[in-house]
Amino acid sequence: MDALKKEEIYTIEDIYTLPDGERAELIDGKIYYMAPPNTNHQRLVHFFDREIGNYIQSHGGECEVFPAPFAVFLNKNDSNYVEPDISVICDKNKITDKGCNGAPDWIIEIVSSSSRKMDYYKKLFKYRTADVREYWVVDPDKKVVTVYDFEQDNMEEYSFGMDIPVSIYEGFTLKVE
């Protein structure tokens, strides 16, 4: 009988020793390499960064918006490190020179064919259990935004072109084109 091969458990230190230009995330001690984003993905990141940042600034808000690459250390341990496409953080005490220690208030992930399972399943579970308040999965191929409002235990789907309410900001809506 062969001995079971022990799966290697990685830590944040392993992320920091990746070759320059190589990006990966760490979930429960497993490394997931990230493909470079395409142009449409970057347009969406820029749209969200600009629209959310402008809304916060024009309303005198305290939260900050950070587009990827931006390090988020979800838990107190060193086995979870993610780089959401958009992170909105309202607790300034979570922000350090290295990134965000703990859960952002609002995370947006833009799905690509290589990240679909990760964004819809693994990250959904991790973000919910880490106390992210709101999580959006933007799917450019399907032209759908799935909104998870964890505080209200609610999930809604919106087509591109619809006004999407932001639950952490009453009265704020975004229209993804």
Side-chain angles (χ1 to χ4, degrees):
M1 186 192 238
D2 292 330
L4 289 176
K5 185 179 177 204
K6 187 175 184 223
E7 192 172 311
E8 190 156 356
I9 301 296
Y10 296 95
T11 68
I12 289 165
E13 288 305 312
D14 295 304
I15 292 290
Y16 283 117
T17 60
L18 290 172
D20 282 349
E22 182 130 39
R23 289 181 52 215
E25 294 178 307
L26 182 69
I27 296 182
D28 296 330
K30 187 170 180 185
I31 289 181
Y32 296 89
Y33 292 93
M34 299 164 67
N38 66 31
T39 302
N40 194 41
H41 181 280
Q42 291 305 95
R43 282 187 184 116
L44 285 164
V45 168
H46 178 67
F47 164 79
F48 285 114
D49 183 31
R50 182 185 66 236
E51 294 296 315
I52 297 165
N54 288 345
Y55 179 85
I56 292 169
Q57 185 176 26
S58 68
H59 288 78
E62 294 293 316
C63 304
E64 285 188 73
V65 185
F66 295 94
F70 180 73
V72 173
F73 306 93
L74 277 178
N75 310 97
K76 301 270 187 249
N77 62 37
D78 66 350
S79 63
N80 288 288
Y81 165 97
V82 292
E83 291 184 6
D85 290 312
I86 296 289
S87 299
V88 178
I89 303 156
C90 300
D91 180 353
K92 300 266 191 238
N93 294 321
K94 290 182 178 180
I95 301 169
T96 70
D97 285 345
K98 287 191 171 191
C100 177
N101 286 323
D105 294 85
W106 180 17
I107 289 177
I108 299 173
E109 293 284 9
I110 298 158
V111 175
S112 66
S113 55
S114 64
S115 73
R116 188 170 299 283
K117 277 186 177 173
M118 179 72 88
D119 294 335
Y120 277 108
Y121 300 105
K122 282 191 187 308
K123 286 184 177 179
L124 171 66
F125 176 76
K126 290 313 289 182
Y127 293 160
R128 183 183 188 110
T129 56
D131 293 330
V132 170
R133 295 168 57 199
E134 185 166 355
Y135 175 43
W136 289 21
V137 180
V138 179
D139 193 327
D141 293 339
K142 295 181 179 177
K143 296 194 177 337
V144 167
V145 179
T146 307
V147 175
Y148 298 92
D149 177 351
F150 296 136
E151 291 181 315
Q152 302 301 315
D153 199 24
N154 190 36
M155 186 272 285
E156 298 280 337
E157 272 195 0
Y158 298 88
S159 297
F160 279 25
M162 295 174 71
D163 285 323
I164 306 171
V166 178
S167 56
I168 69 165
Y169 291 115
E170 193 173 328
F172 180 34
T173 62
L174 282 171
K175 187 182 292 189
V176 183
E177 300 291 347

